[in-house]
Amino acid sequence: EYGDYFKSHPTYDQAFSAYIKNTVSPEDMHTMERETKRKFIIEQLKDKNIFFKDFRAIRKGESFFCRMKAVKISKPGEPLCVVLGFANISFQKEKDLEQYAYVDSVTGGHNYNYFKEIAANQKKAGFLVSMDIHGFRIINKVCGTKTGDLVIKGIYKIVNGVLSESDVLSRINSDHFAFILKTEDKGQVEAILNTITINLVNFSTRFQTPQLIPYFGITNWSSEKSLEMLLSEANTAKNQAKNSTDNNFDFYTEEYATRLLEEKAITDNFKKALENGEFEVWYQKKCSPESESMIGAEALVRWRQED
């Protein structure tokens, strides 16, 4: 497509000067001027046979990505002979950008950006699950971050292997994962979480790391709520599960939200209550069982409110 430049400008310097002026995007002109000079290309091909240079070009008002490839075809001892080729690599660049945008750098699987894209189109009923690992920071401290990353990669692979093809999994950050289960059966959800738990414990034994014990928070999927709201609900349930001695998972209920609001209202009113003298000290007496006389007291603080 650009052969006319080279036909009308027969020398190397003339041809590239015209090509850069008429084709290369202004942002990349300076770099291309430097890296297409004879001396620069000769230096690049001194110890290798191929040199690549990607740049942005403009044609007919449209911007696209190009790649210049310089290939050395002369044999050792012969005068340097190089073939230059140009190709439109916009499609490849788009794939690279998509990879960067939607693929997690540690697991190689889906990241939170991808999760948000899928969630925006999720209309069917199901469950959103938020998952963390108990004390994961210990693995990074004891085994190092490199091993920690390998463990994170293993966790993703194990969870993804338990889920069905229609389910969606992503790593949010650190050891925090989230996934959408496209089932309305609570019993099936519990079975999936139990399988993940068993597989992770077995994995940590094989990998010789501190035991990987996950805990989960689950909320009903609703297309009427934002993803951030649903994750907040799942995280609230997950925090309940973290401190539970019965199960390592919990389902979100509206009672959780009510209790959180009540606790927030209490803590928000502490300062005002102190200023108003609403806190009172009460003493619970302690008596000797032998003499039945008072030998001490336990000090208690009570908060007397109008309601």
Side-chain angles (χ1 to χ4, degrees):
E1 294 181 6
Y2 302 100
D4 290 343
Y5 291 152
F6 296 91
K7 288 177 182 177
S8 58
H9 302 82
T11 69
Y12 178 90
D13 292 334
Q14 285 182 325
F16 265 102
S17 178
Y19 179 80
I20 293 170
K21 181 180 178 181
N22 291 285
T23 310
V24 178
S25 175
E27 296 92 339
D28 291 342
M29 273 189 180
H30 178 72
T31 306
M32 278 295 285
E33 286 172 353
R34 180 174 62 87
E35 297 190 13
T36 56
K37 289 188 181 299
R38 289 171 180 268
K39 284 178 129 183
F40 186 89
I41 291 180
I42 291 170
E43 185 65 28
Q44 293 300 311
L45 295 176
K46 188 178 290 184
D47 300 315
K48 54 189 177 183
N49 293 323
I50 300 176
F51 165 64
F52 294 95
K53 173 60 186 173
D54 293 349
F55 60 95
R56 287 161 293 183
I58 298 175
R59 188 162 185 256
K60 296 180 180 178
E62 292 187 7
S63 178
F64 57 96
F65 286 96
C66 278
R67 171 169 293 169
M68 179 188 78
K69 182 191 289 187
V71 181
K72 181 168 63 177
I73 60 174
S74 53
K75 295 178 180 179
E78 295 180 350
L80 180 65
C81 186
V82 179
V83 173
L84 291 168
F86 295 83
N88 186 331
I89 59 166
S90 294
F91 179 76
Q92 181 181 335
K93 281 288 184 181
E94 287 174 8
K95 285 291 183 183
D96 292 343
L97 291 171
E98 184 177 318
Q99 175 90 354
Y100 178 78
Y102 295 118
V103 176
D104 182 72
S105 60
V106 176
T107 66
H110 302 315
N111 64 10
Y112 187 47
N113 288 332
Y114 178 87
F115 197 71
K116 287 190 288 186
E117 289 282 338
I118 297 299
N121 299 311
Q122 173 67 17
K123 305 299 180 185
K124 293 183 179 179
F127 293 93
L128 174 67
V129 182
S130 178
M131 181 189 97
D132 273 13
I133 304 295
H134 278 287
F136 184 81
R137 69 182 69 179
I138 295 173
I139 293 176
N140 282 331
K141 286 185 177 181
V142 174
C143 306
T145 54
K146 187 175 181 180
T147 298
D149 286 348
L150 290 175
V151 172
I152 288 290
K153 192 172 184 178
I155 292 171
Y156 185 94
K157 185 176 180 181
I158 285 169
V159 176
N160 200 42
V162 176
L163 304 185
S164 68
E165 290 185 4
S166 61
D167 299 331
V168 185
L169 166 68
S170 79
R171 185 174 81 107
I172 307 300
N173 53 52
S174 186
D175 61 309
H176 181 194
F177 295 81
F179 47 94
I180 299 172
L181 298 175
K182 298 182 180 179
T183 176
E184 297 180 61
D185 186 347
K186 275 192 173 184
Q188 187 178 355
V189 172
E190 293 181 15
I192 289 170
L193 302 187
N194 285 329
T195 301
I196 290 173
T197 301
I198 293 169
N199 290 355
L200 286 178
V201 170
N202 292 337
F203 170 75
S204 57
T205 302
R206 295 195 310 271
F207 210 72
Q208 296 183 331
T209 64
Q211 203 168 51
L212 298 173
I213 302 177
Y215 55 103
F216 309 89
I218 312 110
T219 190
N220 288 85
W221 181 264
S222 172
S223 58
E224 296 178 358
K225 295 181 180 179
S226 69
L227 177 60
E228 288 73 20
M229 176 62 73
L230 292 169
L231 274 174
S232 177
E233 292 178 356
N235 288 337
T236 299
K238 182 177 65 181
N239 290 334
Q240 295 295 320
K242 184 178 183 179
N243 302 315
S244 173
T245 56
D246 300 323
N247 288 312
N248 66 332
F249 61 83
D250 206 347
F251 287 86
Y252 175 82
T253 64
E254 290 301 327
E255 285 75 14
Y256 286 163
T258 301
R259 186 165 72 247
L260 285 174
L261 289 173
E262 288 175 350
E263 291 174 357
K264 184 70 167 60
I266 289 172
T267 55
D268 286 347
N269 287 322
F270 271 172
K271 186 177 180 181
K272 184 179 178 182
L274 281 168
E275 293 171 350
N276 294 340
E278 296 176 15
F279 290 105
E280 301 174 353
V281 180
W282 287 47
Y283 295 96
Q284 173 67 46
K285 66 180 181 178
K286 292 184 176 182
C287 297
S288 167
E290 295 176 349
S291 65
E292 296 185 359
S293 60
M294 187 175 75
I295 58 173
E298 178 184 0
L300 306 171
V301 177
R302 299 191 185 280
W303 185 354
R304 187 187 296 276
Q305 293 180 305
E306 292 178 359
D307 58 0

